[in-house]
Short mmCIF file of all heavy atoms in Angstrom, two decimals:
data_model
loop_
_atom_site.label_atom_id
_atom_site.label_comp_id
_atom_site.label_asym_id
_atom_site.label_seq_id
_atom_site.Cartn_x
_atom_site.Cartn_y
_atom_site.Cartn_z
N PRO I 509 -16.11 -4.52 -27.14
CA PRO I 509 -16.78 -4.58 -28.45
C PRO I 509 -18.25 -5.10 -28.33
O PRO I 509 -19.10 -4.67 -29.04
CB PRO I 509 -15.94 -5.53 -29.26
CG PRO I 509 -14.96 -6.13 -28.35
CD PRO I 509 -14.89 -5.28 -27.15
N ASN I 510 -18.44 -5.98 -27.38
CA ASN I 510 -19.81 -6.64 -27.22
C ASN I 510 -20.79 -5.78 -26.45
O ASN I 510 -21.99 -6.07 -26.32
CB ASN I 510 -19.70 -8.03 -26.57
CG ASN I 510 -18.92 -8.94 -27.42
OD1 ASN I 510 -18.88 -8.78 -28.65
ND2 ASN I 510 -18.30 -9.95 -26.77
N ALA I 511 -20.25 -4.58 -25.94
CA ALA I 511 -21.17 -3.82 -25.03
C ALA I 511 -21.79 -2.67 -25.79
O ALA I 511 -22.44 -1.84 -25.13
CB ALA I 511 -20.33 -3.35 -23.83
N ALA I 512 -21.64 -2.60 -27.06
CA ALA I 512 -22.25 -1.47 -27.80
C ALA I 512 -23.72 -1.37 -27.60
O ALA I 512 -24.21 -0.27 -27.30
CB ALA I 512 -21.87 -1.59 -29.28
N GLN I 513 -24.43 -2.52 -27.80
CA GLN I 513 -25.90 -2.55 -27.54
C GLN I 513 -26.24 -2.11 -26.10
O GLN I 513 -27.16 -1.33 -25.93
CB GLN I 513 -26.42 -3.99 -27.84
CG GLN I 513 -27.88 -4.21 -27.65
CD GLN I 513 -28.69 -3.32 -28.58
OE1 GLN I 513 -28.31 -3.18 -29.76
NE2 GLN I 513 -29.79 -2.73 -28.14
N TYR I 514 -25.48 -2.67 -25.20
CA TYR I 514 -25.64 -2.28 -23.78
C TYR I 514 -25.56 -0.74 -23.61
O TYR I 514 -26.40 -0.18 -22.89
CB TYR I 514 -24.68 -3.02 -22.86
CG TYR I 514 -24.65 -2.45 -21.51
CD1 TYR I 514 -25.59 -2.79 -20.60
CD2 TYR I 514 -23.58 -1.61 -21.10
CE1 TYR I 514 -25.65 -2.28 -19.30
CE2 TYR I 514 -23.57 -1.10 -19.76
CZ TYR I 514 -24.62 -1.43 -18.90
OH TYR I 514 -24.58 -0.86 -17.66
N ALA I 515 -24.55 -0.17 -24.22
CA ALA I 515 -24.33 1.26 -23.96
C ALA I 515 -25.52 2.07 -24.46
O ALA I 515 -25.96 3.01 -23.85
CB ALA I 515 -23.00 1.70 -24.68
N THR I 516 -26.07 1.61 -25.67
CA THR I 516 -27.20 2.34 -26.20
C THR I 516 -28.42 2.16 -25.29
O THR I 516 -29.18 3.09 -24.99
CB THR I 516 -27.63 1.96 -27.60
OG1 THR I 516 -26.82 0.79 -27.96
CG2 THR I 516 -27.38 2.99 -28.57
N ASP I 517 -28.68 0.89 -24.88
CA ASP I 517 -29.79 0.66 -23.96
C ASP I 517 -29.72 1.46 -22.73
O ASP I 517 -30.64 2.01 -22.25
CB ASP I 517 -29.81 -0.88 -23.62
CG ASP I 517 -30.12 -1.77 -24.77
OD1 ASP I 517 -30.50 -1.21 -25.85
OD2 ASP I 517 -30.06 -3.00 -24.64
N TYR I 518 -28.48 1.47 -22.19
CA TYR I 518 -28.29 2.22 -20.98
C TYR I 518 -28.62 3.70 -21.17
O TYR I 518 -29.36 4.28 -20.33
CB TYR I 518 -26.83 2.05 -20.48
CG TYR I 518 -26.56 2.57 -19.10
CD1 TYR I 518 -26.57 1.76 -17.98
CD2 TYR I 518 -26.45 4.01 -18.86
CE1 TYR I 518 -26.29 2.27 -16.72
CE2 TYR I 518 -26.21 4.49 -17.60
CZ TYR I 518 -26.20 3.59 -16.56
OH TYR I 518 -25.96 4.10 -15.25
N THR I 519 -28.13 4.25 -22.20
CA THR I 519 -28.39 5.67 -22.51
C THR I 519 -29.87 5.95 -22.65
O THR I 519 -30.42 6.96 -22.14
CB THR I 519 -27.61 6.12 -23.67
OG1 THR I 519 -26.29 5.60 -23.61
CG2 THR I 519 -27.55 7.66 -23.86
N THR I 520 -30.63 5.04 -23.42
CA THR I 520 -32.01 5.29 -23.60
C THR I 520 -32.76 5.19 -22.23
O THR I 520 -33.62 5.99 -21.95
CB THR I 520 -32.59 4.18 -24.53
OG1 THR I 520 -31.60 3.47 -25.07
CG2 THR I 520 -33.55 4.78 -25.48
N LYS I 521 -32.37 4.23 -21.41
CA LYS I 521 -33.13 3.97 -20.21
C LYS I 521 -32.84 5.09 -19.15
O LYS I 521 -33.66 5.48 -18.39
CB LYS I 521 -32.92 2.59 -19.66
CG LYS I 521 -33.80 2.21 -18.40
CD LYS I 521 -33.79 0.74 -18.27
CE LYS I 521 -34.23 0.25 -16.88
NZ LYS I 521 -35.60 0.81 -16.58
N PHE I 522 -31.56 5.37 -18.96
CA PHE I 522 -31.18 6.17 -17.84
C PHE I 522 -30.70 7.61 -18.17
O PHE I 522 -30.14 8.25 -17.39
CB PHE I 522 -30.05 5.45 -17.03
CG PHE I 522 -30.42 4.14 -16.52
CD1 PHE I 522 -29.94 2.95 -17.09
CD2 PHE I 522 -31.41 4.02 -15.54
CE1 PHE I 522 -30.28 1.73 -16.64
CE2 PHE I 522 -31.76 2.81 -15.07
CZ PHE I 522 -31.24 1.61 -15.61
N ASN I 523 -30.83 7.97 -19.45
CA ASN I 523 -30.50 9.33 -19.90
C ASN I 523 -29.07 9.76 -19.60
O ASN I 523 -28.81 10.74 -18.97
CB ASN I 523 -31.47 10.37 -19.26
CG ASN I 523 -32.80 10.21 -19.68
OD1 ASN I 523 -33.07 9.82 -20.85
ND2 ASN I 523 -33.78 10.42 -18.76
N GLY I 524 -28.16 8.85 -19.83
CA GLY I 524 -26.72 9.27 -19.53
C GLY I 524 -25.85 8.14 -19.95
O GLY I 524 -26.25 7.02 -20.14
N ALA I 525 -24.55 8.54 -20.22
CA ALA I 525 -23.62 7.43 -20.61
C ALA I 525 -23.36 6.45 -19.49
O ALA I 525 -23.41 6.81 -18.32
CB ALA I 525 -22.30 8.09 -21.02
N ALA I 526 -23.14 5.19 -19.80
CA ALA I 526 -22.85 4.23 -18.83
C ALA I 526 -21.50 4.46 -18.17
O ALA I 526 -20.49 4.52 -18.89
CB ALA I 526 -22.93 2.83 -19.41
N PRO I 527 -21.41 4.64 -16.83
CA PRO I 527 -20.16 4.81 -16.17
C PRO I 527 -19.29 3.57 -16.08
O PRO I 527 -19.94 2.45 -16.32
CB PRO I 527 -20.48 5.34 -14.80
CG PRO I 527 -21.90 4.85 -14.59
CD PRO I 527 -22.56 4.73 -15.94
N PRO I 528 -18.09 3.68 -15.84
CA PRO I 528 -17.17 2.41 -15.68
C PRO I 528 -17.82 1.45 -14.65
O PRO I 528 -18.49 1.98 -13.73
CB PRO I 528 -15.89 2.92 -15.20
CG PRO I 528 -15.84 4.37 -15.58
CD PRO I 528 -17.21 4.79 -15.65
N PHE I 529 -17.60 0.20 -14.82
CA PHE I 529 -18.11 -0.88 -13.90
C PHE I 529 -19.59 -1.18 -14.14
O PHE I 529 -20.06 -2.17 -13.56
CB PHE I 529 -17.89 -0.53 -12.43
CG PHE I 529 -16.46 -0.37 -12.08
CD1 PHE I 529 -15.88 0.81 -11.61
CD2 PHE I 529 -15.56 -1.41 -12.30
CE1 PHE I 529 -14.56 0.90 -11.22
CE2 PHE I 529 -14.17 -1.32 -11.98
CZ PHE I 529 -13.70 -0.12 -11.44
N SER I 530 -20.32 -0.33 -14.82
CA SER I 530 -21.78 -0.66 -14.99
C SER I 530 -21.90 -1.86 -15.94
O SER I 530 -22.85 -2.67 -15.72
CB SER I 530 -22.61 0.53 -15.40
OG SER I 530 -22.47 0.72 -16.79
N ALA I 531 -21.11 -1.97 -16.96
CA ALA I 531 -21.17 -3.10 -17.78
C ALA I 531 -20.79 -4.38 -17.09
O ALA I 531 -21.41 -5.44 -17.23
CB ALA I 531 -20.25 -2.86 -19.02
N GLN I 532 -19.79 -4.24 -16.22
CA GLN I 532 -19.42 -5.41 -15.33
C GLN I 532 -20.58 -5.79 -14.42
O GLN I 532 -20.81 -6.98 -14.14
CB GLN I 532 -18.18 -5.09 -14.53
CG GLN I 532 -16.85 -5.11 -15.31
CD GLN I 532 -16.51 -3.80 -15.91
OE1 GLN I 532 -17.36 -2.91 -16.15
NE2 GLN I 532 -15.23 -3.61 -16.11
N ALA I 533 -21.32 -4.75 -13.90
CA ALA I 533 -22.46 -5.07 -13.07
C ALA I 533 -23.60 -5.77 -13.87
O ALA I 533 -24.22 -6.72 -13.38
CB ALA I 533 -23.00 -3.76 -12.50
N TYR I 534 -23.72 -5.43 -15.07
CA TYR I 534 -24.64 -6.05 -15.99
C TYR I 534 -24.28 -7.51 -16.13
O TYR I 534 -25.17 -8.45 -15.94
CB TYR I 534 -24.68 -5.36 -17.33
CG TYR I 534 -25.57 -5.95 -18.40
CD1 TYR I 534 -26.91 -5.43 -18.59
CD2 TYR I 534 -25.15 -6.96 -19.19
CE1 TYR I 534 -27.70 -5.90 -19.53
CE2 TYR I 534 -26.01 -7.50 -20.15
CZ TYR I 534 -27.29 -6.94 -20.29
OH TYR I 534 -28.13 -7.49 -21.26
N ASP I 535 -23.02 -7.79 -16.33
CA ASP I 535 -22.57 -9.14 -16.48
C ASP I 535 -22.71 -9.95 -15.20
O ASP I 535 -23.16 -11.09 -15.19
CB ASP I 535 -21.08 -9.19 -16.90
CG ASP I 535 -20.96 -9.21 -18.43
OD1 ASP I 535 -22.04 -9.29 -19.13
OD2 ASP I 535 -19.83 -9.15 -18.92
N SER I 536 -22.42 -9.29 -14.07
CA SER I 536 -22.54 -9.92 -12.79
C SER I 536 -23.98 -10.38 -12.52
O SER I 536 -24.19 -11.55 -12.15
CB SER I 536 -22.11 -8.99 -11.63
OG SER I 536 -20.89 -8.43 -11.86
N ALA I 537 -24.90 -9.51 -12.87
CA ALA I 537 -26.33 -9.86 -12.68
C ALA I 537 -26.71 -11.01 -13.55
O ALA I 537 -27.43 -11.93 -13.20
CB ALA I 537 -27.18 -8.61 -12.99
N ALA I 538 -26.18 -11.01 -14.84
CA ALA I 538 -26.50 -12.07 -15.75
C ALA I 538 -25.94 -13.41 -15.23
O ALA I 538 -26.66 -14.43 -15.28
CB ALA I 538 -25.87 -11.76 -17.18
#
Side-chain angles (χ1 to χ4, degrees):
Chain I
N510 297 334
Q513 177 63 40
Y514 168 77
T516 9
D517 291 352
Y518 189 99
T519 315
T520 346
K521 186 161 162 60
F522 302 108
N523 296 323
F529 298 120
S530 81
Q532 284 91 336
Y534 179 95
D535 270 355
S536 306

